[in-house]
Amino acid sequence: MQSVSNFRIVPAATRLDHVRYAIRDMAVLAEQLEQEGKTILPLNIGDPINFDFCTPPHLIEAVERAMRDGKNGYAPSLGIPEAVDAIRAEAERKGIRNIQGVFLTAGVSEGMDICLSALVNPGDNVLTPCPDYPMYSAVLAKLGAQPNSYMLDESNEWQPDLEDIRRKITPNTCGIVVGNPNNPTGAVYSRETLEQIIELARQHSLVVFSDEIYDKLILDDEPYTSLAALAPDVSVVTFNGLSKAYLVPGWRVGWGVVSGRATSLEPYLEGIYQLLRARLSSNHPQQFAVRPALEGPQDHLTGVLSKLRARRDITVEACRTTPHMSCVTPHGAFYAFPKLDIPDSDEHFANRLLMEKHVLTVHGTGFGQAPGTKHIRIVFLPDEATLRRAYQSVHAFMTEHYA
Ligand SMILES: Cc1ncc(COP(=O)(O)O)c(C=O)c1O
């Protein structure tokens, strides 16, 4: 006899209350408008493949060859040796010494999840930037860690506020996440800033999680420094991957490089390896693109960077000539985080802009921001004509609503 089922609403875990998902929320609204036949100008998603950027063919060939050669089973949990060696060699070229471990993951996203999970105990906290890339705080929320964010200072080119970091360190702080170049601000941190973060990490025995996924997308001539290269004695996990600079976000190929003192890192590294083994492996055939990516031709980057520079310049100019809007110039990645000087909330602004002008951005509250400030995040990946049309609409919207 069939038992009578008890109807019960299945609640999501309360620890997810801190997870923000503004980027996807806005996208859902845009999809509804598209279904009504509206054309949306998308300034919201950081996926270059949605725009006029193409995966370098030699990477596709390498993965295709791997599949034909039968590399379709599970990979070693830490990754295939040729990819691990290429990542280690690249880290050494960047000046990272004392490398204690290298492993591949399904993007930086999985790498960050595993490395935070292997460190954080109940009651611990990890410093995350504000505004932040929401993945960091989502992982920490999942772990039940106490939120602890440090401010990025808009009045200082969005560099981290070091005094705020110092103030926020508690006896339960075990790590700090640094995103450089930064999403959503586009900031690239100075060597001095990095050295000061490292000094605080050294004094307080923090593990630094350095997300450097945009390190090859530097839009000006300033030299880029990998944080770990300045800190051979500090425990650092440097994250990177193929998603952005090698134009294959859907392949889910990323990695972590753990550096610092061998004796300090031994138990933590074993914890990371335990979790890597528990999830079997990351994508196998795609790992065969890593060596050709890091050691093969880099020509595609010239085209990518020249497009991004032109689009960044159009974006900054538009923000500066639009009433009630100002913008710190982004120096890396493909994001701008202009400030709005308006009476309404930025969420209201982004919603109305989408509904009335069909321009899709994400409101600053979706990333966290200094109390009382209002922003939107712009992704300047679309072509110049699309960007110009979008910015004309933003200008018109501002004039119509806030003249
Ligand atoms: C700062 C930052 N880190 C990580 C990621 C995700 O990287 P992956 O595709 O390697 O998981 C993104 C994607 O937008 C990002 O902006």
Side-chain angles (χ1 to χ4, degrees):
M1 200 177 70
Q2 223 179 1
S3 64
V4 180
S5 77
N6 275 333
F7 175 75
R8 175 179 170 264
I9 290 173
V10 183
T14 49
R15 62 180 183 280
L16 302 191
D17 290 352
H18 296 293
V19 177
R20 282 188 286 258
Y21 38 89
I23 300 177
R24 291 279 157 184
D25 283 354
M26 289 296 291
V28 169
L29 208 57
E31 269 165 35
Q32 284 165 8
L33 289 172
E34 269 175 338
Q35 275 161 17
E36 291 165 19
K38 310 281 187 324
T39 303
I40 303 297
L41 299 172
L43 308 185
N44 65 319
I45 291 268
D47 182 348
I49 296 301
N50 281 356
F51 305 96
D52 58 346
F53 298 90
C54 292
T55 304
H58 69 288
L59 304 188
I60 296 176
E61 282 152 24
V63 174
E64 190 186 351
R65 200 175 319 119
M67 287 179 172
R68 290 195 193 286
D69 288 349
K71 310 291 185 190
N72 300 307
Y74 293 120
S77 290
L78 270 62
I80 59 169
E82 73 157 66
V84 169
D85 292 348
I87 293 162
R88 180 184 286 268
E90 160 120 326
E92 284 167 355
R93 282 197 293 281
K94 287 183 186 163
I96 303 181
R97 286 161 286 152
N98 283 353
I99 296 175
Q100 307 301 339
V102 175
F103 47 86
L104 281 102
T105 53
V108 171
S109 309
E110 190 199 33
M112 192 64 86
D113 191 331
I114 286 177
C115 293
L116 288 170
S117 301
L119 182 74
V120 173
N121 279 309
D124 284 351
N125 68 72
V126 172
L127 283 155
T128 53
C130 176
D132 81 335
Y133 172 60
M135 178 260 288
Y136 313 138
S137 36
V139 170
L140 288 163
K142 192 178 74 172
L143 294 172
Q146 292 302 313
N148 190 7
S149 56
Y150 63 92
M151 300 312 294
L152 305 179
D153 183 359
E154 187 166 17
S155 67
N156 182 24
E157 295 258 327
W158 287 117
Q159 301 283 307
D161 179 339
L162 293 151
E163 268 319 301
D164 196 46
I165 296 179
R166 205 186 308 275
R167 269 195 303 274
K168 301 271 173 68
I169 296 173
T170 73
N172 293 330
T173 308
C174 56
I176 176 167
V177 178
V178 179
N180 178 38
N182 190 267
N183 176 4
T185 66
V188 177
Y189 298 160
S190 68
R191 191 186 169 105
E192 296 71 49
T193 301
L194 295 177
E195 277 167 347
Q196 285 169 297
I197 294 172
I198 289 163
E199 189 47 36
L200 287 172
R202 192 177 278 129
Q203 281 167 14
H204 298 274
S205 301
L206 308 182
V207 177
V208 183
F209 299 92
S210 188
D211 181 349
E212 304 185 1
I213 187 80
Y214 298 104
D215 69 339
K216 292 191 175 145
L217 303 182
I218 303 295
L219 305 178
D220 296 298
D221 288 335
E222 50 208 291
Y224 178 80
T225 310
S226 181
L227 183 145
L230 304 174
D233 60 320
V234 173
S235 302
V236 182
V237 190
T238 306
F239 296 95
N240 215 318
L242 299 186
S243 291
K244 309 291 178 172
Y246 295 96
L247 304 166
V248 287
W251 285 4
R252 312 307 300 125
V253 179
W255 54 82
V257 174
V258 180
S259 58
R261 288 185 208 275
T263 41
S264 316
L265 282 164
E266 209 176 304
Y268 176 47
L269 206 50
E270 190 42 47
I272 293 174
Y273 292 162
Q274 242 178 312
L275 291 178
L276 288 168
R277 290 192 291 266
R279 64 66 156 124
L280 304 181
S281 79
S282 71
N283 301 344
H284 191 179
Q286 285 83 346
Q287 293 187 29
F288 285 88
V290 172
R291 191 167 66 180
L294 299 182
E295 296 177 359
Q298 307 290 309
D299 324 357
H300 73 285
L301 276 175
T302 315
V304 168
L305 286 171
S306 88
K307 282 181 182 174
L308 290 183
R309 283 189 188 111
R311 293 170 197 191
R312 184 271 310 267
D313 292 347
I314 291 171
T315 302
V316 170
E317 182 58 20
C319 292
R320 293 205 170 135
T321 50
T322 298
H324 309 291
M325 205 181 238
S326 56
C327 186
V328 175
T329 302
H331 297 292
F334 33 69
Y335 305 103
F337 201 57
K339 188 175 191 174
L340 307 177
D341 178 16
I342 54 170
D344 296 323
S345 72
D346 51 24
E347 185 166 3
H348 176 86
F349 178 91
N351 260 283
R352 295 316 308 165
L353 183 65
L354 175 60
M355 301 301 281
E356 291 177 31
K357 302 289 182 191
H358 310 144
V359 177
L360 177 53
T361 59
V362 182
H363 44 284
T365 22
F367 302 89
Q369 58 196 342
T373 63
K374 297 163 191 179
H375 298 84
I376 51 169
R377 188 192 71 168
I378 289 174
V379 177
F380 52 81
L381 284 171
D383 60 62
E384 294 183 26
T386 307
L387 287 179
R388 284 188 205 283
R389 255 191 307 144
Y391 298 145
Q392 273 163 12
S393 296
V394 175
H395 193 289
F397 181 84
M398 272 297 195
T399 316
E400 287 159 24
H401 289 270
Y402 306 105

